[in-house]
Amino acid sequence: MSHGTHPSITAYRSGQCRNDERALSHTYAETGGGDLLPMCGYGWNRSDGERLSIFRGWYGTEGDCKLCQRNLRAGRAPHPGPFPHKTRWL
């Protein structure tokens, strides 16, 4: 996978919701500092879009989310911060 024009990104990996194995998995960008940022706003899956809680996949994997996949292919930056939306979990 290409890292596009975002030099702070060191790797991409899939992430699966910790509470719902049937939920779509998302793609997360990992920065040099170890932070994870989702490739779409819906990757912020906790606290009404204020946080995320995922099981981390292997480096180089992608989630099932089509929006994440499109953003990754287009070389877009990850979603930088909270994305207010109703979530099912704390």
XYZ file of all heavy atoms in Angstrom:
709
model
N 0.830 -1.174 0.000
C 0.000 0.000 0.000
C 0.875 1.238 0.000
O 1.852 1.312 0.712
C -0.861 0.017 1.257
C -2.063 -0.852 1.183
S -2.977 -0.765 2.708
C -2.766 -2.440 3.241
N 0.468 2.209 -0.740
C 1.196 3.465 -0.793
C 0.889 4.300 0.443
O -0.213 4.276 0.960
C 0.764 4.233 -2.039
O 1.218 5.555 -1.977
N 1.862 5.052 0.886
C 1.655 5.943 2.013
C 1.303 7.338 1.532
O 1.246 8.261 2.316
C 2.904 5.986 2.890
C 3.160 4.680 3.563
N 3.715 4.595 4.786
C 2.929 3.408 3.200
C 3.830 3.324 5.145
N 3.354 2.601 4.183
N 1.049 7.495 0.246
C 0.616 8.767 -0.303
C 1.586 9.888 0.002
O 2.790 9.704 0.023
N 1.051 11.044 0.266
C 1.866 12.225 0.522
C 1.904 12.574 2.005
O 2.059 13.723 2.373
C 1.308 13.424 -0.270
O -0.047 13.643 0.152
C 1.366 13.172 -1.758
N 1.768 11.608 2.857
C 1.687 11.840 4.294
C 2.887 11.199 4.982
O 2.846 10.052 5.404
C 0.368 11.298 4.843
C -0.802 11.719 4.004
N -1.242 13.014 3.981
C -1.565 11.037 3.135
C -2.253 13.103 3.128
N -2.457 11.920 2.602
N 3.980 11.945 5.103
C 5.224 11.362 5.603
C 5.166 10.878 7.046
O 5.964 10.045 7.444
C 6.236 12.503 5.454
C 5.419 13.739 5.392
C 4.104 13.351 4.782
N 4.214 11.366 7.848
C 4.150 10.927 9.239
C 3.547 9.527 9.370
O 3.637 8.904 10.415
C 3.353 11.920 10.080
O 2.004 11.959 9.648
N 2.937 9.028 8.305
C 2.328 7.697 8.344
C 3.400 6.652 8.067
O 4.096 6.708 7.068
C 1.182 7.575 7.324
C 0.064 8.546 7.708
C 0.669 6.144 7.275
C -1.022 8.652 6.679
N 3.513 5.705 8.981
C 4.517 4.655 8.818
C 3.914 3.345 8.323
O 4.632 2.537 7.743
C 5.246 4.397 10.152
O 4.296 4.018 11.142
C 5.998 5.639 10.602
N 2.607 3.130 8.565
C 1.985 1.866 8.163
C 0.473 2.004 8.179
O -0.079 2.936 8.771
C 2.407 0.754 9.116
N -0.177 1.057 7.518
C -1.631 0.936 7.561
C -1.968 -0.437 8.108
O -1.220 -1.399 7.914
C -2.237 1.077 6.152
C -2.094 2.463 5.583
C -1.040 2.780 4.747
C -3.013 3.449 5.899
C -0.906 4.060 4.228
C -2.888 4.730 5.380
C -1.833 5.022 4.549
O -1.698 6.290 4.043
N -3.112 -0.525 8.791
C -3.571 -1.814 9.316
C -5.082 -1.773 9.502
O -5.666 -0.715 9.654
C -2.883 -2.153 10.621
C -3.063 -1.131 11.687
C -2.509 -1.449 13.049
N -1.430 -2.385 13.060
C -0.734 -2.706 14.140
N -1.014 -2.134 15.289
N 0.227 -3.585 14.094
N -5.678 -2.940 9.483
C -7.110 -3.028 9.728
C -7.371 -2.941 11.222
O -6.479 -3.182 12.043
C -7.668 -4.337 9.167
O -7.101 -5.440 9.848
N -8.588 -2.598 11.548
C -9.003 -2.559 12.945
C -10.442 -3.020 13.061
O -11.309 -2.560 12.317
N -10.687 -3.943 13.954
C -12.018 -4.513 14.159
C -12.574 -4.020 15.485
O -11.861 -4.004 16.490
C -11.942 -6.042 14.177
C -13.257 -6.746 14.405
C -14.224 -6.539 13.256
O -13.836 -6.644 12.092
N -15.465 -6.243 13.565
N -13.834 -3.620 15.504
C -14.497 -3.176 16.724
C -14.350 -4.245 17.810
O -14.549 -5.436 17.549
C -15.966 -2.906 16.444
S -16.903 -2.386 17.886
N -14.007 -3.843 19.008
C -13.826 -4.790 20.115
C -15.135 -5.394 20.605
O -15.129 -6.443 21.238
C -13.160 -4.096 21.296
C -11.733 -3.757 21.078
C -11.208 -3.012 22.299
N -9.829 -2.669 22.149
C -8.834 -3.315 22.736
N -9.074 -4.344 23.499
N -7.605 -2.936 22.544
N -16.252 -4.716 20.351
C -17.528 -5.155 20.925
C -18.489 -5.802 19.944
O -19.490 -6.350 20.361
C -18.231 -3.964 21.575
C -17.421 -3.397 22.702
O -16.833 -4.137 23.468
N -17.360 -2.084 22.791
N -18.215 -5.687 18.677
C -19.158 -6.209 17.685
C -18.391 -6.844 16.537
O -17.935 -6.153 15.626
C -20.050 -5.081 17.178
C -21.168 -5.563 16.276
O -21.227 -6.775 15.963
O -21.991 -4.714 15.871
N -18.260 -8.147 16.574
C -17.498 -8.846 15.525
C -18.176 -8.766 14.164
O -17.566 -9.029 13.149
C -17.246 -10.287 15.917
C -18.498 -11.115 16.074
C -18.230 -12.487 16.646
O -17.312 -12.632 17.454
O -18.961 -13.418 16.270
N -19.455 -8.375 14.130
C -20.173 -8.253 12.859
C -20.036 -6.862 12.235
O -20.434 -6.652 11.107
C -21.648 -8.589 13.049
C -21.858 -10.058 13.387
C -23.282 -10.354 13.768
N -23.535 -9.738 15.066
C -24.666 -9.119 15.408
N -25.653 -9.062 14.571
N -24.811 -8.570 16.589
N -19.486 -5.911 12.990
C -19.315 -4.547 12.475
C -18.257 -4.536 11.371
O -17.337 -5.360 11.370
C -18.897 -3.612 13.607
N -18.392 -3.593 10.453
C -17.359 -3.425 9.430
C -16.031 -3.124 10.095
O -15.975 -2.394 11.085
C -17.690 -2.249 8.515
C -18.711 -2.435 7.424
C -18.898 -1.125 6.670
C -18.307 -3.536 6.472
N -14.977 -3.658 9.544
C -13.648 -3.280 10.014
C -13.209 -2.070 9.191
O -13.671 -1.847 8.083
C -12.668 -4.446 9.871
O -12.589 -4.880 8.534
N -12.334 -1.265 9.759
C -11.855 -0.050 9.112
C -10.354 -0.148 8.894
O -9.682 -1.005 9.454
C -12.189 1.179 9.966
C -13.658 1.456 10.033
N -14.316 2.191 9.084
C -14.597 1.067 10.922
C -15.595 2.251 9.382
N -15.795 1.567 10.506
N -9.839 0.756 8.095
C -8.399 0.846 7.871
C -7.880 2.027 8.681
O -8.484 3.103 8.680
C -8.086 1.046 6.377
O -8.665 -0.043 5.647
C -6.582 1.085 6.130
N -6.771 1.799 9.381
C -6.175 2.825 10.236
C -4.752 3.109 9.779
O -4.011 2.195 9.425
C -6.161 2.370 11.698
C -7.553 2.282 12.278
C -8.344 1.160 12.058
C -8.088 3.328 13.000
C -9.631 1.083 12.549
C -9.378 3.266 13.503
C -10.144 2.133 13.271
O -11.424 2.072 13.758
N -4.394 4.390 9.813
C -3.027 4.810 9.522
C -2.306 4.918 10.859
O -2.852 5.458 11.820
C -3.029 6.156 8.813
N -1.092 4.404 10.913
C -0.291 4.512 12.127
C 0.818 5.524 11.884
O 1.512 5.467 10.877
C 0.295 3.165 12.507
C 0.986 3.197 13.846
C 1.280 1.809 14.387
O 0.468 0.882 14.179
O 2.326 1.665 15.024
N 0.959 6.454 12.813
C 1.991 7.479 12.684
C 3.277 7.003 13.343
O 3.283 6.011 14.081
C 1.550 8.795 13.350
O 1.461 8.588 14.762
C 0.225 9.276 12.802
N 4.341 7.731 13.099
C 5.632 7.403 13.709
C 5.573 7.401 15.226
O 6.333 6.697 15.880
N 4.646 8.176 15.801
C 4.488 8.223 17.250
C 3.600 7.123 17.796
O 3.356 7.059 19.001
N 3.086 6.247 16.914
C 2.250 5.141 17.352
C 0.763 5.443 17.424
O -0.023 4.598 17.821
N 0.359 6.657 17.034
C -1.062 6.989 17.032
C -1.751 6.290 15.865
O -1.166 6.118 14.797
C -1.263 8.498 16.886
C -0.769 9.269 18.089
O -0.901 8.765 19.217
O -0.249 10.384 17.889
N -3.004 5.915 16.076
C -3.824 5.332 15.016
C -4.907 6.320 14.638
O -5.588 6.861 15.514
C -4.477 4.025 15.489
C -3.559 2.840 15.664
C -4.334 1.664 16.250
C -2.948 2.436 14.349
N -5.067 6.544 13.338
C -6.101 7.429 12.826
C -6.867 6.690 11.745
O -6.265 6.136 10.822
C -5.475 8.697 12.242
C -4.682 9.555 13.227
C -3.926 10.645 12.480
C -5.608 10.159 14.263
N -8.198 6.668 11.828
C -8.988 5.947 10.830
C -8.991 6.665 9.482
O -8.893 7.892 9.413
C -10.384 5.914 11.442
C -10.436 7.100 12.343
C -9.040 7.293 12.853
N -9.138 5.893 8.440
C -9.186 6.445 7.089
C -10.569 6.973 6.730
O -10.753 7.540 5.667
C -8.728 5.412 6.066
C -7.241 5.113 6.125
S -6.184 6.576 5.971
C -6.584 7.132 4.314
N -11.552 6.821 7.627
C -12.846 7.496 7.485
C -13.345 7.833 8.881
O -12.883 7.258 9.873
C -13.847 6.650 6.703
S -14.772 5.446 7.669
N -14.262 8.767 8.971
C -14.757 9.211 10.267
C -15.448 8.137 11.078
O -15.457 8.187 12.310
N -16.018 7.133 10.412
C -16.741 6.086 11.141
C -15.810 5.136 11.879
O -16.254 4.334 12.688
C -17.674 5.327 10.200
C -18.770 6.227 9.695
C -18.721 6.753 8.413
C -19.824 6.593 10.522
C -19.704 7.613 7.955
C -20.823 7.450 10.068
C -20.750 7.954 8.793
O -21.724 8.818 8.350
N -14.513 5.248 11.636
C -13.540 4.470 12.402
C -13.441 4.945 13.840
O -12.921 4.236 14.699
N -13.949 6.158 14.116
C -14.077 6.637 15.496
C -15.343 5.977 16.034
O -16.439 6.477 15.880
C -14.183 8.167 15.532
C -12.951 8.852 15.067
C -12.712 9.331 13.818
C -11.774 9.101 15.836
N -11.452 9.875 13.764
C -10.850 9.754 15.000
C -11.409 8.838 17.159
C -9.591 10.140 15.433
C -10.156 9.235 17.588
C -9.270 9.879 16.731
N -15.194 4.800 16.639
C -16.337 3.926 16.907
C -16.828 3.909 18.357
O -17.628 3.070 18.718
C -16.002 2.498 16.466
C -14.874 1.884 17.274
O -14.163 2.564 17.995
N -14.699 0.581 17.145
N -16.346 4.810 19.198
C -16.766 4.838 20.607
C -17.151 6.247 21.029
O -16.746 7.217 20.409
C -15.613 4.372 21.501
C -15.137 2.965 21.262
C -16.110 1.947 21.766
N -16.090 1.888 23.206
C -15.847 0.810 23.905
N -15.614 -0.314 23.311
N -15.867 0.855 25.205
N -17.871 6.332 22.138
C -18.196 7.617 22.786
C -18.768 8.633 21.798
O -18.357 9.789 21.757
C -16.960 8.194 23.480
O -16.445 7.292 24.419
N -19.742 8.179 21.003
C -20.389 9.029 19.995
C -19.394 9.704 19.066
O -19.499 10.880 18.739
C -21.309 10.046 20.658
C -22.524 9.371 21.295
O -22.933 8.289 20.812
O -23.064 9.928 22.268
N -18.401 8.921 18.641
C -17.433 9.379 17.656
C -16.260 10.151 18.237
O -15.480 10.736 17.502
N -16.100 10.124 19.537
C -15.005 10.860 20.189
C -13.765 10.001 20.419
O -12.697 10.520 20.691
C -15.477 11.417 21.541
C -16.579 12.445 21.415
C -16.098 13.753 20.824
O -14.971 14.177 21.126
O -16.863 14.354 20.050
N -13.898 8.682 20.354
C -12.786 7.779 20.643
C -12.859 6.560 19.719
O -13.802 6.371 18.990
C -12.853 7.283 22.089
C -12.821 8.398 23.103
C -12.144 7.980 24.353
N -12.081 8.878 25.460
C -11.991 10.177 25.483
N -12.008 10.838 24.388
N -11.899 10.872 26.579
N -11.834 5.713 19.819
C -11.879 4.453 19.088
C -11.343 3.339 19.980
O -10.547 3.581 20.880
C -11.108 4.535 17.769
C -9.626 4.883 17.791
C -8.767 3.633 17.904
C -9.281 5.606 16.505
N -11.847 2.151 19.721
C -11.415 0.970 20.457
C -11.469 -0.200 19.480
O -12.548 -0.598 19.042
C -12.340 0.717 21.649
O -11.935 -0.442 22.341
N -10.303 -0.710 19.120
C -10.240 -1.740 18.079
C -9.257 -2.844 18.439
O -8.344 -2.645 19.235
C -9.814 -1.136 16.718
C -8.413 -0.513 16.823
C -10.850 -0.156 16.208
C -7.781 -0.144 15.500
N -9.492 -3.995 17.848
C -8.477 -5.041 17.796
C -7.647 -4.718 16.561
O -8.184 -4.596 15.460
C -9.108 -6.426 17.647
C -9.820 -6.896 18.877
C -11.186 -7.137 18.847
C -9.129 -7.113 20.061
C -11.844 -7.578 19.980
C -9.785 -7.557 21.199
C -11.143 -7.787 21.156
N -6.357 -4.578 16.723
C -5.480 -4.203 15.608
C -5.127 -5.404 14.754
O -4.726 -6.437 15.274
C -4.199 -3.577 16.147
C -4.448 -2.303 16.901
C -3.197 -1.783 17.539
N -3.539 -0.636 18.362
C -2.673 0.230 18.811
N -1.391 0.104 18.537
N -3.058 1.236 19.543
N -5.264 -5.221 13.437
C -4.864 -6.256 12.501
C -3.376 -6.143 12.195
O -2.668 -5.276 12.707
N -2.901 -7.038 11.356
C -1.492 -7.028 10.943
C -1.199 -5.806 10.120
O -2.057 -5.275 9.427
C -1.180 -8.274 10.111
C -1.312 -9.537 10.871
C -2.352 -10.419 10.795
C -0.407 -10.067 11.832
N -2.135 -11.461 11.656
C -0.946 -11.271 12.309
C 0.811 -9.643 12.340
C -0.312 -12.058 13.253
C 1.450 -10.423 13.300
C 0.893 -11.611 13.736
N 0.046 -5.360 10.146
C 0.466 -4.271 9.267
C 0.232 -4.685 7.821
O 0.422 -5.835 7.448
C 1.951 -3.944 9.464
C 2.235 -3.261 10.775
C 2.979 -3.888 11.759
C 1.758 -1.982 11.032
C 3.244 -3.253 12.972
C 2.006 -1.341 12.232
C 2.755 -1.981 13.197
O 3.005 -1.353 14.389
N -0.205 -3.720 7.022
C -0.428 -3.988 5.606
C -1.807 -4.532 5.291
O -2.096 -4.813 4.141
N -2.679 -4.670 6.298
C -4.037 -5.160 6.051
C -4.986 -3.978 5.916
O -4.690 -2.868 6.338
C -4.516 -6.081 7.189
O -4.448 -5.369 8.435
C -3.662 -7.335 7.271
N -6.143 -4.236 5.312
C -7.179 -3.225 5.136
C -8.471 -3.736 5.741
O -8.734 -4.931 5.744
C -7.444 -2.953 3.662
C -6.380 -2.207 2.954
C -6.778 -1.905 1.517
O -7.988 -1.812 1.220
O -5.865 -1.772 0.696
N -9.295 -2.798 6.190
C -10.613 -3.163 6.685
C -11.600 -3.365 5.555
O -11.279 -3.156 4.380
N -12.829 -3.732 5.912
C -13.900 -3.969 4.944
C -14.591 -2.691 4.472
O -15.299 -2.705 3.474
C -14.988 -4.856 5.563
C -14.473 -6.212 5.966
O -13.552 -6.730 5.316
O -15.000 -6.775 6.954
N -14.441 -1.610 5.209
C -15.139 -0.362 4.917
C -14.730 0.179 3.541
O -13.553 0.439 3.284
C -14.833 0.662 6.006
S -15.474 2.312 5.659
N -15.706 0.352 2.667
C -15.445 0.840 1.303
C -14.993 2.299 1.306
O -14.191 2.705 0.478
C -16.685 0.692 0.421
C -17.157 -0.739 0.269
C -16.162 -1.566 -0.487
C -16.716 -2.966 -0.694
N -15.696 -3.950 -0.906
N -15.493 3.104 2.246
C -15.076 4.502 2.323
C -13.597 4.593 2.698
O -12.845 5.365 2.095
C -15.944 5.254 3.334
C -15.700 6.742 3.488
C -15.785 7.466 2.149
C -16.709 7.323 4.473
N -13.170 3.790 3.668
C -11.743 3.741 4.020
C -10.908 3.343 2.807
O -9.870 3.943 2.529
C -11.487 2.727 5.140
S -11.968 3.220 6.790
N -11.372 2.329 2.085
C -10.628 1.840 0.926
C -10.510 2.921 -0.144
O -9.439 3.122 -0.715
C -11.299 0.585 0.362
C -11.173 -0.611 1.272
C -11.987 -1.807 0.804
O -12.673 -1.770 -0.220
N -11.934 -2.883 1.574
N -11.608 3.642 -0.411
C -11.567 4.720 -1.416
C -10.605 5.829 -0.989
O -9.840 6.339 -1.811
C -12.964 5.306 -1.639
C -13.813 4.511 -2.579
C -15.011 5.303 -3.057
N -15.801 5.867 -1.974
C -16.893 5.319 -1.458
N -17.335 4.169 -1.900
N -17.549 5.925 -0.491
N -10.669 6.210 0.287
C -9.787 7.272 0.777
C -8.323 6.864 0.695
O -7.459 7.668 0.328
C -10.158 7.663 2.207
C -11.466 8.414 2.263
O -11.916 9.010 1.287
N -12.091 8.394 3.424
N -8.045 5.614 1.013
C -6.676 5.110 0.934
C -6.175 5.130 -0.503
O -5.083 5.620 -0.791
C -6.608 3.703 1.523
C -5.241 3.060 1.599
C -4.332 3.848 2.533
C -5.370 1.630 2.100
N -6.988 4.630 -1.433
C -6.598 4.566 -2.848
C -6.380 5.958 -3.451
O -5.553 6.141 -4.324
C -7.656 3.844 -3.684
C -7.925 2.417 -3.276
C -6.886 1.443 -3.780
N -7.185 0.082 -3.389
C -6.960 -0.432 -2.181
N -6.472 0.297 -1.219
N -7.221 -1.696 -1.912
N -7.164 6.936 -2.947
C -7.055 8.303 -3.457
C -5.895 9.060 -2.816
O -5.646 10.213 -3.176
C -8.363 9.054 -3.217
N -5.190 8.444 -1.873
C -4.059 9.093 -1.224
C -4.459 10.161 -0.223
O -3.666 11.034 0.108
N -5.697 10.080 0.273
C -6.169 11.073 1.237
C -5.569 10.834 2.621
O -5.193 9.724 2.973
C -7.684 11.031 1.333
C -8.338 11.467 0.046
C -9.840 11.596 0.193
N -10.412 12.020 -1.053
C -11.201 11.274 -1.793
N -11.545 10.065 -1.414
N -11.680 11.744 -2.926
N -5.540 11.894 3.386
C -5.063 11.812 4.771
C -6.107 11.094 5.621
O -7.299 11.110 5.297
C -4.835 13.214 5.321
N -5.677 10.472 6.711
C -6.645 9.865 7.619
C -7.520 10.928 8.272
O -7.192 12.116 8.255
C -5.766 9.160 8.657
C -4.412 9.669 8.482
C -4.308 10.298 7.137
N -8.631 10.482 8.843
C -9.540 11.392 9.533
C -8.857 11.823 10.831
O -8.612 11.005 11.698
C -10.872 10.700 9.813
C -11.984 11.655 9.998
N -12.175 12.351 11.151
C -12.939 12.067 9.146
C -13.221 13.130 11.025
N -13.698 12.976 9.809
N -8.530 13.112 10.982
C -7.613 13.560 12.030
C -8.147 13.571 13.454
O -7.369 13.566 14.395
C -7.277 14.985 11.595
C -8.477 15.429 10.847
C -8.984 14.199 10.146
N -9.445 13.619 13.627
C -9.941 13.723 14.992
C -11.363 13.254 15.111
O -11.926 12.712 14.160
N -11.945 13.444 16.271
C -13.297 12.955 16.528
C -14.273 13.342 15.430
O -14.181 14.408 14.830
C -13.653 13.620 17.854
C -12.343 13.799 18.529
C -11.379 14.135 17.420
N -15.198 12.442 15.186
C -16.228 12.598 14.164
C -17.566 12.358 14.862
O -17.947 11.205 15.080
C -15.984 11.577 13.054
C -17.058 11.515 12.004
C -17.239 12.570 11.131
C -17.869 10.398 11.879
C -18.215 12.497 10.146
C -18.843 10.319 10.892
C -19.013 11.375 10.037
N -18.252 13.422 15.300
C -19.475 13.248 16.069
C -20.548 12.467 15.299
O -20.996 12.904 14.241
C -19.939 14.680 16.348
C -18.731 15.528 16.145
C -17.897 14.813 15.114
N -20.915 11.322 15.804
C -22.003 10.516 15.276
C -22.418 9.514 16.344
O -21.646 9.210 17.246
C -21.589 9.796 13.972
C -20.514 8.796 14.134
N -19.174 9.156 14.282
C -20.534 7.445 14.201
C -18.439 8.061 14.406
N -19.233 7.009 14.371
N -23.628 9.044 16.267
C -24.132 8.110 17.266
C -23.414 6.792 17.136
O -23.287 6.237 16.048
C -25.641 7.918 17.067
C -26.269 7.062 18.113
C -26.291 7.797 19.438
C -26.921 6.931 20.506
N -26.466 7.262 21.824
N -22.889 6.307 18.237
C -22.239 4.993 18.271
C -22.983 4.127 19.269
O -23.685 4.612 20.152
C -20.760 5.101 18.667
O -20.637 5.701 19.943
C -19.976 5.914 17.646
N -22.769 2.847 19.139
C -23.475 1.894 19.972
C -22.811 1.722 21.345
O -23.444 1.309 22.287
C -23.434 0.556 19.227
C -24.608 -0.276 19.452
C -24.589 -1.433 18.483
N -25.093 -2.584 19.175
C -25.098 -3.778 18.721
N -24.584 -4.028 17.537
N -25.593 -4.758 19.412
N -21.552 1.997 21.418
C -20.787 1.690 22.631
C -20.336 2.946 23.341
O -20.332 4.018 22.785
C -19.592 0.806 22.258
C -20.015 -0.342 21.413
C -19.810 -0.478 20.075
C -20.746 -1.483 21.819
N -20.377 -1.641 19.623
C -20.964 -2.280 20.676
C -21.255 -1.916 23.037
C -21.655 -3.466 20.727
C -21.929 -3.108 23.079
C -22.126 -3.870 21.931
N -19.912 2.780 24.573
C -19.425 3.891 25.411
C -18.471 4.800 24.668
O -17.765 4.465 23.814
C -18.703 3.333 26.637
C -19.568 2.497 27.562
C -18.688 1.887 28.643
C -20.686 3.278 28.167
